[in-house]
Amino acid sequence: MNRRRNMMLVLILAILALASFFSLASGTYRIPAERLFEIIRGNGTIPENDVFFGMRLPRLILGLAVGGALSLAGVLLQAIFRNPLVEPYTIGISGGASFAVCLAVSLGLVGALGPFSVYLAGFVGAGAVMLILYSLNSRGRIRNISTLLLSGIMAGFVFSSLIILVLAFSKAEDAHGILFWLMGALDHSNLKLSLSALGISLLCLCSAFVFFSELDALLLGEEQAAHLGIDVPRAQFRFFLLAAILTTVAVSLSGIIGFVGLAIPIVARRIMGNSHRHLLPGAFLAGAAFLSLCDLVARTLISPRELPVGVITGLVGGSMFIWTLLNAGGRKNV
Amino acid sequence: MSDPILKLKNLSCGYAKGFSLEGVSLEISSGKVCGIIGPNGSGKTTILRAATGVLPIKSGSIEFDGQDIGTMSLMEKARNIAVVMQESSSPFEMNVLEYVMLGRIPHNKGAWFAGSSEDAAVARKMLGTCGAANFAGRNLDELSGGERQLVHIARALAQEPRMLLLDEPTNHLDLSHQHQIMSLARNLSKDKGIAIGIVLHDLNLAARFCDIIHLVHKGRIHSSGPPGAILRPEILGEIYSAKIASCPDPVNGKPLIFMPL
């Protein structure tokens, strides 16, 4: 079992490396492999440096961060809700972030304060929802984890309606920008933002990994986990908070990129098993590899035009999900 | 070997809205199998849950090895008390060995130590104790109900507890597996000195395998004592509101309970 897992991990890493290489090299401005190394060593020409450090590297790093973050958030949420069909966009946090970003665009804040305001708005929106949930939880209003899930789903519906309301009152050009952002894209970043997203995602991965045996125990149910010595409410809220932070990072920097947080954890569970010691890093790397691969396709399929990466992840992830369902053969994990 | 390790003294506790226990006093001793029997809804499982300290106490006390259970940390409790609940399934596939290794969580010192080779060795040993060593490489879902129950007990034993609580472990099992589970419980108490608390519906299994029986009725302990003293037709008839008869088991002389037609 461990040997198979290690082989799978090596395979995922190989896909990740290949996707990264082709992401950096491919595009309208093609960079040959030998030039890539020269650019990294600081010997690139000005146009090469502009393309590499200004566009491709930030985009690749953001893809890795967001893909890993969404997949990891999916794994955490599926464990705390004991439901393999829960994903980051079902907990209301993403709805809060999306609504705040749409509102910021519609009110002209983005034009006035610059592109950073998009990310700031996302964090404010998601943070507000997190605070509400935290306050409800600490006052005992959320009595069990199912209430939390249902509240998240309902919050998602409310925010979807609010986003449509914002769209209805927006100017045509703003509405177009909002719609494009909602479809999901990785091209609105710079190196600093991308690195910060990767840093936060990796920090969340490490934090979750320290408590991986708690996640394993939660799969057995709240009471059994408590009998194994786990402080269940504290563990659930800790992982919920981590998932919320990961979702916020992803939504704020890249919009709505569907299916990564649902399909990748399911596939990762099938190839890595359900022990979170292997699953957490495996799912993070698989999500990172998947999204960078999808972004590569989105950038190059009809080059020089680009497709929104959310469309590719939706198509590939959705197909993969249906395939997994049809091939489950009565197995769990789906 | 027969000192009471768990003492419930005049305990009243229960759920926020609904069923509660009133003035329950009972003891579970090391090296003994203590059966908890009673009609559906009488409070058997609630007693088991109370014994682990998860229910808020209204009055009375729960002592584990002389210590108030409320003062024990969750991990300390998990190192001493293991529980196998009625419904122990997971919506996720799980490898048997990894599942049993979850029982090592209370003994882990942190992430880097969890799932060590020592933990795997303990898990394999406990699977062997339960006669389930051959299932180690399989998935939990592939096992029959009886095999799965053995694995659940192995997971509980991996906690290396001093007391093992089993909630209706023989439900839905065939005769052979019922006997296997109950024999295992008895061997664990006699050979390893583990205190066993076991909720049972099958009165004949209780008669054959338990050292002491607590009969529960409407949230109270109706009577306690050895099987021969408790499993009497007049007592059971009153509690179960049915005509119940008994005769000595021709093999071991213990009471054999049945409902005459």
Side-chain angles (χ1 to χ4, degrees):
Chain A
M1 185 107 183
N2 278 340
R3 198 175 160 189
R4 184 170 163 262
R5 277 181 188 142
N6 291 340
M7 279 175 62
M8 284 297 174
L9 211 55
V10 170
L11 184 69
I12 294 168
L13 279 170
I15 295 171
L16 187 68
L18 279 175
S20 301
F21 172 75
F22 283 110
S23 292
L24 293 172
S26 310
T28 318
Y29 186 96
R30 196 175 291 274
I31 304 176
E34 65 273 16
R35 289 302 304 157
L36 274 181
F37 295 110
E38 285 300 314
I39 296 167
I40 292 167
R41 288 167 62 188
N43 299 327
T45 62
I46 292 172
E48 280 175 342
N49 284 341
D50 282 350
V51 169
F52 186 86
F53 291 109
M55 293 159 68
R56 301 244 173 106
L57 192 59
R59 187 166 180 156
L60 172 66
I61 293 172
L62 186 62
L64 299 175
V66 170
L70 288 173
S71 179
L72 182 60
V75 168
L76 297 178
L77 291 168
Q78 289 169 9
I80 60 177
F81 290 110
R82 290 183 82 216
N83 187 335
L85 296 177
V86 176
E87 64 144 343
Y89 296 122
T90 52
I91 55 169
I93 307 288
S94 59
S98 308
F99 169 64
V101 169
C102 292
L103 200 62
V105 173
S106 179
L107 293 174
L109 294 177
V110 176
L113 301 173
F116 272 92
S117 56
V118 175
Y119 316 128
L120 192 65
F123 274 98
V124 168
V129 178
M130 268 197 284
L131 274 177
I132 292 167
L133 288 173
Y134 184 81
S135 115
L136 288 174
N137 184 65
S138 57
R139 287 177 193 181
R141 298 294 295 275
I142 294 177
R143 288 199 180 83
N144 56 46
I145 204 70
S146 307
T147 317
L148 191 60
L149 178 59
L150 278 174
S151 309
I153 292 170
M154 289 307 125
F157 281 124
V158 170
F159 284 121
S160 295
S161 305
L162 288 172
I163 288 170
I164 293 169
L165 194 68
V166 170
L167 275 171
F169 285 99
S170 297
K171 287 181 282 185
E173 61 268 29
D174 288 342
H176 181 264
I178 290 171
L179 274 175
F180 209 81
W181 179 81
L182 284 174
M183 281 189 278
L186 296 170
D187 57 348
H188 300 301
S189 187
N190 59 42
L191 197 54
K192 273 185 185 170
L193 270 174
S194 295
L195 283 172
S196 69
L198 188 63
I200 295 171
S201 302
L202 287 172
L203 209 61
C204 288
L205 174 64
C206 295
S207 309
F209 190 78
V210 171
F211 300 102
F212 79 84
S213 51
E214 291 192 356
L215 284 165
D216 288 344
L218 287 177
L219 294 186
L220 303 183
E222 295 178 28
E223 189 157 356
Q224 282 292 358
H227 291 319
L228 288 172
I230 307 296
D231 185 340
V232 174
R234 184 188 285 186
Q236 284 174 332
F237 205 76
R238 178 192 300 126
F239 295 126
F240 183 80
L241 205 62
L242 282 178
I245 293 169
L246 288 162
T247 308
T248 306
V249 168
V251 173
S252 301
L253 296 180
S254 61
I256 306 290
I257 297 178
F259 276 101
V260 181
L262 178 65
I264 298 300
I266 287 172
V267 174
R269 282 181 196 284
R270 295 198 71 171
I271 59 177
M272 305 295 294
N274 280 309
S275 166
H276 288 84
R277 178 181 222 175
H278 310 280
L279 181 61
L280 290 173
F284 187 92
L285 291 172
F290 175 74
L291 191 57
S292 23
L293 211 56
C294 285
D295 190 48
L296 179 64
V297 173
R299 273 196 313 119
T300 54
L301 195 64
I302 52 165
S303 180
R305 289 189 63 190
E306 281 190 20
L307 290 167
V309 69
V311 173
I312 304 294
T313 57
L315 285 173
V316 178
S319 314
M320 210 155 77
F321 188 65
I322 293 168
W323 178 84
T324 313
L325 273 178
L326 295 177
N327 287 283
R331 288 174 62 177
K332 291 181 179 179
N333 288 355
V334 280
Chain B
M1 286 293 276
S2 61
D3 293 338
I5 195 163
L6 182 86
K7 287 182 187 172
L8 271 57
K9 289 181 187 169
N10 204 20
L11 180 72
S12 295
C13 66
Y15 306 100
K17 289 175 184 172
F19 187 83
S20 61
L21 302 174
E22 295 296 336
V24 168
S25 295
L26 66 79
E27 294 178 348
I28 298 180
S29 300
S30 302
K32 299 277 184 195
V33 178
C34 167
I36 300 168
I37 62 167
N40 285 331
S42 57
K44 304 183 293 296
T45 299
T46 311
I47 288 179
L48 216 61
R49 298 187 75 217
T52 62
V54 297
L55 296 177
I57 298 174
K58 286 183 209 156
S59 63
S61 66
I62 307 170
E63 281 179 17
F64 184 85
D65 201 16
Q67 186 182 354
D68 180 356
I69 207 163
T71 64
M72 293 170 76
S73 72
L74 283 167
M75 282 295 177
E76 199 181 350
K77 272 194 271 185
R79 281 192 290 271
N80 285 288
I81 305 169
V83 187
V84 176
M85 302 303 292
Q86 273 186 63
E87 186 48 58
S88 294
S89 69
S90 168
F92 297 96
E93 266 181 2
M94 226 173 258
N95 169 270
V96 166
L97 184 64
E98 285 179 350
Y99 173 75
V100 176
M101 282 168 72
L102 291 181
R104 299 303 297 160
I105 288 176
H107 297 276
N108 291 155
K109 293 178 183 70
W112 302 108
F113 299 96
S116 65
S117 53
E118 290 86 38
D119 287 344
V122 173
R124 283 186 190 279
K125 184 180 159 197
M126 296 313 170
L127 278 168
T129 302
C130 296
N134 292 338
F135 308 149
R138 292 168 68 185
N139 276 339
L140 212 50
D141 291 348
E142 297 167 8
L143 306 180
S144 72
E147 292 169 339
R148 216 165 24 232
Q149 196 61 270
L150 292 170
V151 172
H152 290 323
I153 295 173
R155 197 264 303 143
L157 290 180
Q159 290 175 239
E160 296 181 298
R162 296 166 70 195
M163 181 171 79
L164 173 63
L165 301 175
L166 303 166
D167 192 6
E168 300 186 30
T170 57
N171 269 11
H172 314 300
L173 301 188
D174 60 41
L175 274 177
S176 163
H177 276 110
Q178 286 181 16
H179 195 271
Q180 192 179 358
I181 298 282
M182 293 306 295
S183 299
L184 174 63
R186 189 174 56 188
N187 294 342
L188 289 170
S189 70
K190 305 302 172 215
D191 301 343
K192 298 186 186 297
I194 297 176
I196 308 275
I198 185 163
V199 170
L200 284 170
H201 265 303
D202 189 319
L203 302 179
N204 290 315
L205 284 177
R208 193 177 303 170
F209 290 98
C210 295
D211 298 302
I212 188 163
I213 286 177
H214 299 284
L215 178 58
V216 187
H217 186 48
K218 294 182 178 172
R220 295 170 183 274
I221 299 288
H222 179 276
S223 43
S224 301
I230 305 299
L231 300 173
R232 286 161 46 196
E234 62 273 22
I235 298 177
L236 296 176
E238 178 199 335
I239 299 298
Y240 286 89
S241 305
K243 191 177 176 189
I244 290 175
S246 79
C247 64
D249 187 319
V251 178
N252 55 29
K254 292 188 172 174
L256 203 56
I257 315 296
F258 61 97
M259 289 180 72
L261 290 172

